[in-house]
Amino acid sequence: MISRFAPKPGKEDPQKRIAGTEAASYVRDGMVVGLGTGTTVYYTIRTLGQKIKEEDLNILGIPTSLDTRNHALSLGIPLTDLDKHPVIDLTIDGADEVDPALNLIKGLGGALLMEKIVASATKMEIIVVDPGKLVKCLGRGKLPVEVLRFGHRSTARRLDHLGLKPSLRFDARNTPFITDNNNLILDCLPGEMEGPAEMERNINTIPGVVENGLFIGLTDLVIVGEENGPKTLKRGED
Ligand code: 5RP
């Protein structure tokens, strides 16, 4: 299997497919496109591959993970990088939680660092989700924090002092999950956060923290895949 985010045969998720496919319609010829990571944006990447083959769509992709890189290359999507194209026209990515102001928690797929760099370098960020990702307040589930291997137990103690109950993420083989950037992930349990922007800053001041999964003020549009079609939420409309 090219991507660990691909649906199992016969197990396509219609809501994710609706959101992911709709987002591809925002991509125009000549664009540099940030390609997110996960099971929802998987459908966007698949659709872009089809459009390149069938409609001669001409784009350059910037992947946010090795998985997305391999998936995009397998579909014939030409790739570039941020050194050659420091400003991205449009990025499409998934999320784990979306609040009414379109702030996000991301990183359950383990790619939050490159996703945040790409989201910060893009003119427009579109997030694709199924309706289960919409929350009133961020913090319902885990908040992933990417940390250096060096001193990770000390870093975890500092996160614990913020009340975040960190635990080291393990992979399916029961060994510590290693990110594409050779770091570890501490999954935190913040509970519902009144001030996610302050939390984002506080976490990132801890030495050893590389980045955290709070994406504040980076999203322009959310596409929600509802059973009867896509619904869009724009920043500033809550
Ligand atoms: C990966 C991510 C994903 O975008 C997020 O976990 C959502 O994934 P999915 O669409 O599979 O639910 O942040 O780091």
Side-chain angles (χ1 to χ4, degrees):
M1 190 178 292
I2 297 292
S3 169
R4 70 185 168 101
F5 299 106
K8 305 255 171 336
K11 296 269 182 210
E12 296 238 341
D13 182 314
Q15 294 175 324
K16 291 182 181 197
R17 189 179 57 221
I18 285 169
T21 308
E22 172 69 8
S25 70
Y26 288 76
V27 175
R28 299 275 172 269
D29 228 29
M31 278 184 167
V32 174
V33 182
L35 302 171
T37 299
T39 53
T40 317
V41 79
Y42 173 90
Y43 292 105
T44 310
I45 297 166
R46 192 173 75 179
T47 309
L48 290 176
Q50 279 161 0
K51 287 185 176 220
I52 285 170
K53 271 204 191 82
E54 292 162 17
E55 300 168 24
D56 271 342
L57 177 70
N58 176 28
I59 58 166
L60 288 172
I62 298 190
T64 54
S65 62
L66 271 175
D67 190 286
T68 292
R69 180 177 184 278
N70 293 338
H71 183 206
L73 286 176
S74 77
L75 296 169
I77 301 177
L79 299 181
T80 183
D81 58 41
L82 275 174
D83 294 338
K84 294 195 194 86
H85 292 93
V87 179
I88 301 172
D89 294 304
L90 169 66
T91 294
I92 302 168
D93 203 348
D96 304 305
E97 295 185 25
V98 179
D99 79 5
L102 309 193
N103 294 322
L104 315 173
I105 288 182
K106 285 181 53 53
L108 283 191
L112 68 98
L113 176 57
M114 287 194 275
E115 290 175 334
K116 205 175 213 177
I117 293 170
V118 164
S120 304
T122 195
K123 291 185 206 161
M124 182 176 190
E125 177 89 358
I126 297 182
I127 296 297
V128 288
V129 291
D130 58 81
K133 304 289 185 61
L134 302 180
V135 297
K136 288 214 173 80
C137 189
L138 295 178
R140 180 179 68 181
K142 290 176 182 167
L143 168 60
V145 179
E146 183 156 344
V147 300
L148 285 180
R149 293 180 187 216
F150 180 82
H152 70 89
R153 288 201 175 84
S154 307
T155 310
R157 279 171 59 88
R158 300 285 301 273
L159 288 165
D160 206 30
H161 291 155
L162 286 181
L164 290 173
K165 304 182 186 76
S167 58
L168 187 62
R169 186 182 297 184
F170 286 84
D171 62 20
R173 288 162 300 167
N174 216 22
T175 54
F177 177 88
I178 306 294
T179 69
D180 289 348
N181 304 288
N182 208 18
N183 296 314
L184 299 169
I185 298 268
L186 294 171
D187 284 313
C188 295
L189 291 173
E192 293 192 345
M193 285 171 279
E194 275 173 27
E198 195 187 356
M199 181 63 87
E200 183 194 22
R201 286 193 296 273
N202 288 344
I203 293 173
N204 280 1
T205 59
I206 297 175
V209 168
V210 181
E211 193 47 86
N212 71 78
L214 283 163
F215 282 50
I216 308 297
L218 293 173
T219 306
D220 299 289
L221 190 77
V222 173
I223 301 178
V224 188
E226 298 196 333
E227 254 152 43
N228 47 1
K231 185 173 110 186
T232 56
L233 309 171
K234 286 201 186 92
R235 181 141 63 125
E237 279 185 350
D238 61 309

